[in-house]
Amino acid sequence: MPMDQAEKNEFLKVLEDHHITHEIGWKNFSENIDDKPAIVAKIETIQQLQVVMRTLYAFNEKKAESERNTGRTAAGGDNKKYSKSFSFTACAEGEVILHLTGKAFKEIKPLAENIVLTGASVEVGVLARILYELYNLVLQAASLIPYVTVAGLAANAGHGSGRDQPSFAGLIAAMTLCLPNGDIVRIDANDENFETIRAAHLGLFGVVINMELQCIPAKKLKCEMDVRSLAELIEEVQQGLFINDPYVSVMYVPTYQPDELTNKSIKNVIIYRSTPVAKEENDVNMNAVLSHFGQDAEVEMGESLHITDLLRKHPNLIPDYMKYIVSQFAVGVKDAHVLGPWPDVTHYRTAFPRDIDDTDYLFEASADAKEIVAAITRVAESLTEFAKHKQYPITDAIYLRFFKGTNGGLSTSAHAEGRYICGFDMVSSNGMHGYKEFKNEMSHYFLNELNAKPHPGKFIPPEFNYRKAYGKAYDEFIKTLQDWHTKHHIELGKSPLLNAFHEQMLNNNVLMREEMDVPRQSVEVKKIAEGFKSQINMENPFAEILLKDLEEICRQPEAYARSSQTLFGGSTTDNMNNQSVEEKQRHCVIV
Ligand SMILES: Cc1cc2nc3c(=O)[nH]c(=O)nc-3n(C[C@H](O)[C@H](O)[C@H](O)COP(=O)(O)OP(=O)(O)OC[C@H]3O[C@@H](n4cnc5c(N)ncnc54)[C@H](O)[C@@H]3O)c2cc1C
């Protein structure tokens, strides 16, 4: 619910009184979100942040939860080309957008034992460079993109690649947050819910001021870049590609040839295999600065020639464009290797076009990587089918990452013992003919066949069911979020951090329970129970038991309304799987 004019005036007055500059209107990097009325405030100090959060929360305390005002942090606000919010989803949206631009949010300070205090707005690439050059340290896990901020990347459980590596959030040893009521809180592993909170904080527990990150002593990286066909890639994956080297990532450029899965002469895959080496080793083939200008020129040329517009208008050009231009530039024709500073090799891609649409599914993989082979094959077959109908949905590339992952909360890389995580990232340009249909087909495949979780900063399929995908971890997360707010005397439903994107994630369950008072809830409970009574199939042997349960609920609905349990105990996929056949039948009495 937007602020009314009086609130808006009051809010702008608070900004003015505290010397907080602001402007109106906000766009993310890819410009798929264009929020014209948003008030965008540049926050220079922690005190300013506290004032803004307190003001928004005070507004919300006076109104119903459904009418609350929202305020979120978004990366950006510095006068630099890539100082932007890199999420495609509406996760950073709010009536008020905060850019944490002050020194307090840009600090980099080594603490004890390779732990470095890092301000929330420090970009991952800037951090990597300073760690390497000033403190002789590196980040063992980081995104390929250097421009995302540490708080923003961790919020969405962001990841890089590395067989033995956690997600980026797995490096967090402690976090300091500003709560919606303005209080400042630091949490670390001594907090029993730390793992649940850090794995994907989602910006829901407070505005992150800084993080203490675990680093390792600096090394260089030696990287082999192998040019392959898709068929060769599949063979190498089957032979242990992802397990044999510590850091492996893959880029596959679809060329839409009918024999793409078997033709070994189409070299449209590049495999990056990196190994840490001593910092004293001499650089080989390394000129990161030139490489950046080369990539930048390529992106600028594409944008000024409006290549993606051309492809949208003339999709029949896409196969040749992918085969003769993208493959040639991005994959090359022969194997190569480089050896150089860790930050340069990790963040080898430094220029990005704005006109991109991205879907990243993360799924568990076994050491033999059979799930990855299945996914590559399925996606390539699907693209071939689309090509038969003259549709070529992917105009950039498909990126594969392989890492160990991080357990806890709504982490997209939660994994069982001995398993790994594959990030399967499909990147195209906006509005390509057939891309929407391809995306739908892929979401069906990845969610249902591989139990994948979508990257919350990229694309969440409309049918995605968080509770089903995350099982018990979802319930734990909700409970942790509720307990956190109760402990800090904040009403979750009135938190300005809860925007529409996250409200959908929480599925309204939490809010409804808190919002309704007990008498109103009892009426609802009774109504639902009576509704169910009339639906019971009395031929089922468990019908009588269920009928008795429902009658009991109708007799004393207040007791159930007060209970912290859901009416029939939420059945997550996990606990359904553990049920006996009899218990499952009992769940099917209604219908
Ligand atoms: C070209 C491109 C390449 C990408 N490459 C990768 C990749 O290699 N790996 C990967 O995992 N992802 C990648 N992404 C996705 C991107 O990393 C995530 O969406 C990430 O969350 C963006 O972080 P950000 O710093 O831009 O923050 P934003 O996108 O602005 O924010 C992300 C979320 O964090 C919240 N937030 C931000 N700052 C704070 C704070 N201080 N306190 C509390 N909450 C906060 C925001 O409200 C929002 O909910 C890529 C995206 C693009 C466009």
Side-chain angles (χ1 to χ4, degrees):
M1 176 99 177
M3 282 182 200
D4 62 32
Q5 197 52 47
E7 282 169 334
K8 205 167 181 174
N9 292 344
E10 192 182 330
F11 186 72
L12 293 177
K13 176 89 174 50
V14 170
L15 294 187
E16 196 184 318
D17 289 349
H18 292 84
H19 313 289
I20 301 171
T21 57
H22 77 276
E23 56 190 28
I24 304 295
W26 175 75
K27 287 181 189 173
N28 60 348
F29 171 75
S30 51
E31 299 190 351
N32 63 312
I33 297 180
D34 182 2
D35 190 352
K36 291 196 171 66
I39 301 173
V40 185
K42 278 195 178 183
I43 305 295
E44 295 294 322
T45 65
I46 294 173
Q47 292 72 20
Q48 288 179 342
L49 176 61
Q50 289 175 292
V51 166
V52 169
M53 293 315 292
R54 265 188 214 126
T55 307
L56 288 173
Y57 186 60
F59 285 170
N60 289 349
E61 277 188 303
K62 289 188 222 129
K63 45 175 91 168
E65 291 174 358
S66 55
E67 290 173 5
R68 74 179 169 278
N69 300 124
T70 52
R72 297 276 305 184
T73 312
D78 291 336
N79 197 13
K80 291 194 298 186
K81 179 171 175 185
Y82 288 109
S83 174
K84 287 281 177 189
S85 170
F86 278 89
S87 296
F88 298 89
T89 58
C91 60
E93 245 185 343
E95 286 161 73
V96 177
I97 297 284
L98 306 178
H99 288 322
L100 307 183
T101 47
K103 271 192 196 144
F105 312 107
K106 303 268 181 75
E107 214 180 348
I108 300 179
K109 190 168 87 186
L111 306 172
E113 292 175 29
N114 297 345
I115 304 268
V116 177
L117 182 139
T118 308
S121 304
V122 175
E123 289 173 11
V124 171
V126 170
L127 176 63
R129 168 99 23 232
I130 290 181
L131 288 177
Y132 187 80
E133 285 174 3
L134 297 188
Y135 304 121
N136 208 25
L137 293 170
V138 291
L139 295 167
Q140 65 196 80
S143 54
L144 166 61
I145 181 170
Y147 306 115
V148 291
T149 62
V150 295
L153 182 65
N156 284 331
H159 64 95
S161 207
R163 183 192 60 203
D164 308 318
Q165 305 310 329
S167 68
F168 181 72
L171 305 181
I172 303 172
M175 280 159 87
T176 299
L177 304 121
C178 173
L179 307 184
N181 60 9
D183 289 355
I184 307 286
V185 174
R186 178 185 176 279
I187 51 162
D188 60 20
N190 293 319
D191 186 306
E192 58 171 335
N193 295 318
F194 183 62
E195 290 211 341
T196 306
I197 297 171
R198 76 159 179 180
H201 68 81
L202 296 161
L204 285 175
F205 294 85
V207 175
V208 177
I209 294 172
N210 63 51
M211 293 174 162
E212 292 160 42
L213 298 173
Q214 179 71 59
C215 306
I216 54 170
K219 297 230 168 193
K220 283 189 175 171
L221 279 171
K222 187 171 135 204
C223 178
E224 303 292 338
M225 295 177 285
D226 307 330
V227 173
R228 297 286 184 267
S229 65
L230 193 59
E232 288 164 336
L233 170 68
I234 291 175
E235 280 170 17
E236 292 199 21
V237 173
Q238 284 166 332
Q239 287 156 15
L241 171 70
F242 287 109
I243 291 291
N244 295 341
D245 285 286
Y247 289 90
V248 178
S249 60
V250 170
M251 180 173 77
Y252 152 47
V253 177
T255 61
Y256 302 100
Q257 304 308 303
D259 56 352
E260 185 139 307
L261 264 167
T262 49
N263 186 337
K264 292 193 174 173
S265 68
I266 307 172
K267 302 294 183 191
N268 56 344
V269 171
I270 182 161
I271 302 171
Y272 297 87
R273 294 182 292 116
S274 300
T275 317
V277 296
K279 203 180 174 189
E280 293 69 37
E281 296 251 348
N282 290 330
D283 288 358
V284 179
N285 294 333
M286 199 64 215
N287 194 333
V289 180
L290 268 187
S291 146
H292 172 73
F293 285 127
Q295 291 177 31
D296 223 24
E298 206 181 303
V299 168
E300 297 228 331
M301 195 171 74
E303 285 178 350
S304 55
L305 293 176
H306 302 285
I307 287 181
T308 46
D309 289 338
L310 187 74
L311 298 178
R312 269 186 285 269
K313 239 189 230 160
H314 304 286
N316 55 318
L317 298 176
I318 294 174
D320 282 348
Y321 167 74
M322 297 298 274
K323 193 169 171 192
Y324 298 111
I325 300 182
V326 183
S327 279
Q328 298 297 312
F329 269 103
V331 174
V333 285
K334 60 177 199 302
D335 295 356
H337 69 274
V338 299
L339 191 162
W342 187 290
D344 298 319
V345 180
T346 304
H347 305 292
Y348 62 85
R349 185 159 177 197
T350 52
F352 299 88
R354 278 175 202 285
D355 185 0
I356 39 178
D357 192 333
D358 192 342
T359 311
D360 187 3
Y361 287 105
L362 293 104
F363 55 89
E364 277 192 71
S366 37
D368 64 11
K370 59 178 182 302
E371 302 82 356
I372 304 179
V373 171
I376 299 171
T377 311
R378 175 69 173 76
V379 169
E381 282 170 355
S382 173
L383 289 172
T384 306
E385 274 308 303
F386 273 82
K388 283 185 192 157
H389 299 97
K390 306 252 173 290
Q391 292 183 329
Y392 312 101
I394 299 277
T395 53
D396 184 302
I398 292 173
Y399 301 85
L400 269 63
R401 280 125 194 180
F402 187 80
F403 63 114
K404 192 71 201 163
T406 297
N407 286 333
L410 296 190
S411 170
T412 45
S413 62
H415 56 278
E417 182 78 29
R419 307 263 288 168
Y420 298 87
I421 295 292
C422 175
F424 205 103
D425 192 5
M426 294 165 279
V427 184
S428 191
S429 314
N430 286 296
M432 284 297 158
H433 203 42
Y435 185 56
K436 198 169 147 225
E437 293 76 9
F438 175 74
K439 237 174 158 176
N440 285 343
E441 195 179 309
M442 288 303 106
S443 75
H444 191 77
Y445 170 69
F446 280 97
L447 298 184
N448 296 317
E449 303 290 321
L450 293 172
N451 295 323
K453 295 174 181 123
H455 189 310
K458 296 190 176 178
F459 170 68
I460 301 286
E463 74 274 22
F464 183 61
N465 182 326
Y466 286 92
R467 185 184 284 273
K468 188 173 159 216
Y470 285 91
K472 277 190 201 128
Y474 178 85
D475 295 334
E476 261 164 42
F477 180 82
I478 300 281
K479 182 166 183 323
T480 301
L481 190 64
Q482 282 175 322
D483 291 351
W484 172 266
H485 284 78
T486 309
K487 180 171 152 194
H488 295 292
H489 313 291
I490 299 164
E491 286 179 72
L492 172 57
K494 295 190 174 176
S495 167
L497 300 172
L498 201 53
N499 63 8
F501 178 84
H502 294 100
E503 191 174 353
Q504 194 177 358
M505 186 179 274
L506 306 187
N507 214 7
N508 294 331
N509 294 344
V510 190
L511 301 178
M512 275 169 53
R513 184 170 304 286
E514 288 188 351
E515 191 175 19
M516 283 195 220
D517 50 24
V518 169
R520 273 173 64 209
Q521 279 195 43
S522 338
V523 173
E524 288 297 315
V525 164
K526 194 167 173 191
K527 217 161 71 190
I528 294 169
E530 272 173 348
F532 276 140
K533 263 168 62 184
S534 64
Q535 302 288 318
I536 296 177
N537 171 4
M538 293 308 292
E539 280 165 27
N540 189 294
F542 295 101
E544 280 197 11
I545 304 173
L546 181 65
L547 189 62
K548 249 168 89 189
D549 286 352
L550 289 168
E551 277 169 353
E552 175 63 17
I553 293 170
C554 291
R555 249 193 309 278
Q556 40 174 341
E558 306 81 22
Y560 290 87
R562 276 201 185 89
S563 157
S564 63
Q565 299 296 310
T566 49
L567 196 51
F568 299 104
S571 282
T572 61
T573 321
D574 274 7
N575 60 35
M576 280 292 270
N577 286 343
N578 292 336
Q579 284 171 348
S580 65
V581 174
E582 285 198 346
E583 281 173 312
K584 281 182 185 160
Q585 279 175 353
R586 190 172 166 180
H587 274 91
C588 299
V589 176
I590 304 174
V591 177

